[in-house]
């Protein structure tokens, strides 16, 4: 059987497992098939521009050059593995292996501290700080797994994957600007400037993609984009030393994961695509109760809603959660740490 990747027909043996995305109904009625895996285009542009940027602006020592190289290598690996997934449709058990493999260069060159600041409530028992040692590297590897797959499973309607990535990217930019404005020390400034450089290029390329992926979508981003987007965010969070703050911007993705746990861990049957139902008569999305996702939870509460409005409401929820994340980080943080 055939499917389109960059308008080229590619044979796959797993095509019978793939369900039709909701937004394709509109185009199928006009016998138009949209190209898939277009996430590869902004990902490739991002890598090329990043390489050029590092060549032009980098006058730092070997340690920082190794950091930059490792960051781009991890992103390149995840792009390659994501495109392989798009072409041959890897089973979920293999998708969990992809991000740890791609994060190896990142973890090998990580030279930051493995000491964490403990909450005030436990300091009388454990002290002010705790050195996690090798466990911190495991945490960073798991963070790359979560960031990549959390975007991948919180998807399926026009513009949601790219839209949530744009909002998280903007939140990271604001966080970096705040930290640069505070300017605690030279190392902190260097780390956040690096993060700001990466995330600005990332945001520029995905904004272009959003123009074509928003409702009604003319292209589909594929798993390549989800892996690429998640790895970029993980890279800036890890190398910028604000991984805990980054997780505050992933609140909807964390909620979606928690809702999905019974199906992800096979406690109950898990279909390959857990999308809501598209009612062709009303042109609205309807909740499928045995598809445990945040999208279906929203439709269960709100009722049948058009695909465009569903995406809009979910992105507004993402904005609200990122705002709450800033409140926790800069408002409540001093009370707990």
């Amino acid at each position: 059987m055939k499917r389109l990747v960059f308008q080229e027909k590619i044979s796959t043996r797993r095509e019978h497992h793939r369900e039709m995305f909701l937004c394709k109904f509109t185009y199928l009625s006009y016998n138009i098939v949209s190209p898939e895996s277009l996430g590869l285009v902004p990902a490739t542009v991002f890598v090329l521009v990043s390489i050029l940027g590092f060549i032009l602006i980098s006058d730092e020592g070997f340690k920082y050059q190794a950091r930059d190289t490792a960051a781009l290598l991890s992103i390149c690996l995840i792009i390659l593995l994501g495109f392989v997934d798009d072409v041959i449709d890897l089973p979920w058990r293999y998708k969990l292996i992809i991000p740890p493999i791609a994060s190896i260069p990142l973890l090998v060159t990580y030279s930051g501290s493995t000491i964490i600041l403990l909450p005030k409530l436990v300091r009388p028992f454990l002290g002010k700080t705790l050195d996690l040692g090798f466990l911190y590297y495991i945490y960073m590897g798991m963070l790359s797994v979560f960031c990549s797959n959390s975007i991948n499973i919180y998807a399926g309607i026009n513009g949601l994957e790219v839209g949530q990535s744009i909002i998280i990217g903007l939140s990271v930019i604001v966080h970096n600007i705040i930290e640069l404005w505070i300017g605690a020390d030279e190392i902190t400034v260097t780390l956040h400037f690096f993060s700001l450089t990466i995330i600005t290029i990332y945001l520029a390329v995905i904004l272009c993609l959003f123009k074509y992926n928003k409702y009604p979508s003319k292209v589909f981003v594929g798993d390549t984009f989800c892996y690429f987007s998640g790895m970029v965010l993980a890279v800036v969070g890890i190398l910028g030393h604000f991984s805990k703050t980054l997780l505050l911007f992933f609140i909807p993705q964390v909620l979606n994961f928690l809702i999905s746990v019974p199906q992800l861990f096979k406690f109950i049957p898990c279909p390959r695509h857990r999308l809501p139902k598209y009612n062709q008569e009303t042109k609205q999305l309807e909740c499928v109760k045995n598809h445990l996702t945040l999208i279906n939870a929203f439709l269960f509460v709100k009722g049948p809603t058009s695909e465009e409005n569903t995406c809009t409401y979910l992105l507004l929820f993402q904005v609200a959660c990122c705002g709450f994340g800033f409140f926790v980080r800069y408002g409540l943080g001093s009370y707990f740490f």
Side-chain angles (χ1 to χ4, degrees), residues 15 23 27 61 63 79 84 101 111 132 142 149 158 166 178 215 221 223 233 268 300 310 312:
E15 182 65 25
C23 41
Y27 294 98
K63 181 176 80 170
I79 293 170
V84 169
I101 293 175
S111 59
L132 295 179
M142 296 305 295
N149 285 291
N158 287 182
I166 290 172
I178 292 173
Y215 185 90
V221 298
D223 291 340
L233 294 170
I268 60 177
F300 177 77
T310 300
T312 300

Side-chain angles (χ1 to χ4, degrees), residues 76-296:
C76 287
L77 283 173
I78 205 72
I79 293 170
L80 173 62
L81 295 172
F83 187 66
V84 169
D85 184 20
D86 274 329
V87 174
I88 65 176
D89 229 358
L90 294 173
W92 272 105
R93 60 182 177 274
Y94 298 127
K95 292 186 178 187
L96 294 176
I97 302 174
I98 292 175
I101 293 175
S103 65
I104 289 174
L106 191 65
L107 301 180
V108 169
T109 58
Y110 178 76
S111 59
S113 174
T114 57
I115 298 175
I116 61 171
L117 186 65
L118 295 176
K120 292 180 180 178
L121 291 175
V122 300
R123 288 181 185 177
F125 311 101
L126 300 176
K128 185 176 181 180
T129 61
L130 178 66
D131 190 353
L132 295 179
F134 184 71
L135 292 177
Y136 195 80
Y137 286 87
I138 296 177
Y139 159 73
M140 290 188 292
M142 296 305 295
L143 180 66
S144 67
V145 174
F146 172 76
C147 289
S148 300
N149 285 291
S150 65
I151 294 177
N152 200 17
I153 65 175
Y154 186 41
I157 61 177
N158 287 182
L160 183 59
E161 301 99 314
V162 185
Q164 63 183 292
S165 300
I166 290 172
I167 295 168
I168 296 173
L170 287 171
S171 301
V172 171
I173 285 179
V174 172
H175 172 66
N176 282 318
I177 291 174
I178 292 173
E179 293 298 316
L180 287 172
W181 180 267
I182 296 173
D185 53 66
E186 184 178 352
I187 295 178
T188 300
V189 170
T190 300
L191 293 173
H192 284 285
F193 181 76
F194 165 79
S195 173
L196 187 61
T197 303
I198 290 286
I199 207 67
T200 301
I201 300 172
Y202 162 78
L203 194 61
V205 296
I206 66 173
L207 279 170
C208 299
L209 180 62
F210 186 68
K211 177 181 178 181
Y212 297 97
N213 182 244
K214 66 181 180 180
Y215 185 90
S217 178
K218 300 178 180 64
V219 301
F220 302 110
V221 298
D223 291 340
T224 304
F225 173 80
C226 297
Y227 287 129
F228 156 70
S229 184
M231 182 57 74
V232 171
L233 294 170
V235 163
V236 297
I238 291 172
L239 295 183
H241 294 186
F242 58 91
S243 57
K244 296 186 291 294
T245 301
L246 179 67
L247 286 175
L248 292 175
F249 303 145
F250 274 80
I251 292 176
Q253 289 73 23
V254 172
L255 290 175
N256 184 63
F257 170 74
L258 294 176
I259 294 172
S260 302
V261 162
Q263 289 186 323
L264 294 179
F265 291 94
K266 303 294 185 180
F267 298 130
I268 60 177
C270 180
R272 182 160 184 84
H273 295 290
R274 302 172 301 146
L275 302 176
K277 178 184 177 182
Y278 180 78
N279 190 319
Q280 296 194 58
E281 294 181 359
T282 63
K283 308 299 182 184
Q284 291 187 327
L285 305 183
E286 299 175 356
C287 171
V288 179
K289 293 184 179 180
N290 63 340
H291 290 182
L292 303 183
T293 65
L294 185 59
I295 300 173
N296 280 292

